[in-house]
Amino acid sequence: LSKLEMGRRIETQIGVGTGCVRVFMSPDDAGDIVSFRVAAERLGGSLIIEKAPSEVKQQFDTWGELGNSATLMERIKYQLDPDGILSPGRFSANI
């Protein structure tokens, strides 16, 4: 919200039926990802970075906190891809 207060325009797309909110910003505003993630988590949601330059993805966890589900996701990934050849390390927790 600080960018709005400073007169910068942030584009959003809201899916009323799904509850998804997409925020479109320039890589220069990537520092706001943390504040958006905190706000989403306070409201019981999450923030996932769908598309960004690789330098932005290296700075931030694209999937966010997995909580208790990380172990389950690792087990599912192993069952579907026991050799770890399908997109290794692309998902959160290097799954």
Side-chain angles (χ1 to χ4, degrees):
L1 296 178
S2 62
K3 298 295 181 191
L4 293 173
E5 294 168 2
M6 295 170 51
R8 291 189 182 172
R9 182 175 175 208
I10 298 175
E11 295 183 38
T12 59
Q13 178 186 53
I14 301 170
V16 178
T18 62
C20 291
V21 177
R22 286 191 168 89
V23 178
F24 303 92
M25 62 179 68
S26 74
D28 297 336
D29 294 328
D32 291 331
I33 291 172
V34 173
S35 59
F36 277 107
R37 181 166 276 155
V38 169
E41 289 172 354
R42 282 187 187 151
L43 295 170
S46 61
L47 181 138
I48 299 169
I49 300 173
E50 289 184 347
K51 183 177 179 182
S54 59
E55 58 269 8
V56 171
K57 289 183 176 183
Q58 291 171 359
Q59 293 176 12
F60 302 97
D61 181 1
T62 55
W63 293 96
E65 180 61 40
L66 293 178
N68 298 333
S69 62
T71 303
L72 175 61
M73 290 183 192
E74 286 176 352
R75 289 179 25 211
I76 292 171
K77 167 76 166 135
Y78 180 75
Q79 287 180 355
L80 297 173
D81 181 23
D83 296 326
I85 60 173
L86 302 174
S87 299
R90 186 169 180 151
F91 194 59
S92 186
N94 290 320
I95 297 173

